[in-house]
Amino acid sequence: MISRKLNFKKLTSLFLAVVAVTTFSSCSDDDDQDGNSAQLAIYMTDAPGNYDEVWVNVTDVQIKTDVSITDEGWTSLGNVKTGMYDLLALTGGVTELLADVRVPAGPLGQIRLVLGNDNTVVVDGESLPLNTPSAQQSGLKLQVNQNLEAGKRYEFLLDFNVDESIVNTGNGGYILKPVIRLAAMEGSGIITGVISPSLDQAVVK
């Protein structure tokens, strides 16, 4: 009976030791992962435009470590807030968070916003299809060229220019060719004021 009790104690001690080592190893792995990663947040905003509404279909946000022109090496950020966005609701300093994720520390060469084909523009109350060439749907490549340091947070702003992004074909059709400026959030700002005299359709650039 005594021998059995001693064996049980030995097994219990061994089990607790294994659990402790496993837990320590897991925590170490998590610490290593956090120590080798940076937090990356991507926001979207827009400049005013002479349209009622401009809806774009966001399907993905991707990054690439280098600045090569090849279409290889792109990685989706994951957990991207996909869906339809009215760009003209994102003016006057209003921004929309598209992604906020951890990424490996190191060089960040490019960011691109990938759009679907369900884009529309509303002109004089009429909703019209906003045709998007396949080359534009694959994403506009925006140069970053920044080294992401481990443990730090980086925020980038995708700033649409609606007036330059929409092309009127002249036959009642419209084409979307996104013109986007990329800015680091800490280096961006907004200007507020009043236009005088007051105009019905005023666009500030």
Side-chain angles (χ1 to χ4, degrees):
M1 181 66 69
I2 295 176
S3 177
R4 289 184 178 179
K5 288 183 177 180
L6 290 176
N7 289 336
F8 178 75
K9 288 182 178 180
K10 289 182 179 180
L11 289 175
T12 302
S13 300
L14 180 60
F15 174 74
L16 292 175
V18 171
V19 170
V21 171
T22 303
T23 303
F24 177 77
S25 176
S26 176
C27 292
S28 299
D29 291 343
D30 291 341
D31 291 340
D32 289 343
Q33 183 176 4
D34 291 342
N36 292 324
S37 64
Q39 195 72 23
L40 179 63
I42 307 295
Y43 294 82
M44 183 170 65
T45 191
D46 179 44
N50 193 21
Y51 302 96
D52 297 339
E53 300 171 8
V54 176
W55 291 88
V56 294
N57 179 22
V58 176
T59 61
D60 201 4
V61 178
Q62 302 175 352
I63 60 172
K64 188 177 184 181
T65 58
D66 59 59
V67 294
S68 64
I69 61 175
T70 63
D71 205 38
E72 299 177 353
W74 289 98
T75 303
S76 173
L77 286 181
N79 295 323
V80 177
K81 293 176 60 179
T82 60
M84 301 295 297
Y85 293 92
D86 179 12
L87 293 178
L88 294 183
L90 303 177
T91 61
V94 179
T95 62
E96 180 70 37
L97 177 64
L98 297 180
D100 192 348
V101 298
R102 280 194 174 278
V103 296
L108 175 59
Q110 302 175 73
I111 295 174
R112 73 176 176 184
L113 178 70
V114 183
L115 302 178
N117 54 10
D118 295 326
N119 309 297
T120 59
V121 58
V122 179
V123 181
D124 296 330
E126 183 181 1
S127 181
L128 303 169
L130 196 53
N131 297 320
T132 309
S134 57
Q136 301 297 329
Q137 289 181 26
S138 65
L140 182 64
K141 301 172 184 178
L142 304 167
Q143 301 294 331
V144 181
N145 298 329
Q146 183 168 344
N147 188 65
L148 304 185
E149 297 184 23
K152 290 190 176 181
R153 178 180 177 84
Y154 297 85
E155 298 181 339
F156 291 98
L157 185 66
L158 306 181
D159 190 355
F160 261 87
N161 187 322
V162 163
D163 276 343
E164 296 183 9
S165 298
I166 298 179
V167 178
N168 189 336
T169 61
N171 58 359
Y174 292 87
I175 297 176
L176 177 63
K177 293 185 176 181
V179 175
I180 304 175
R181 182 176 66 91
L182 178 69
M185 293 289 281
E186 63 270 18
S188 63
I190 62 173
I191 299 175
T192 61
V194 177
I195 298 177
S196 181
S198 177
L199 300 174
D200 291 336
Q201 296 290 342
V203 177
V204 180
K205 294 186 178 180

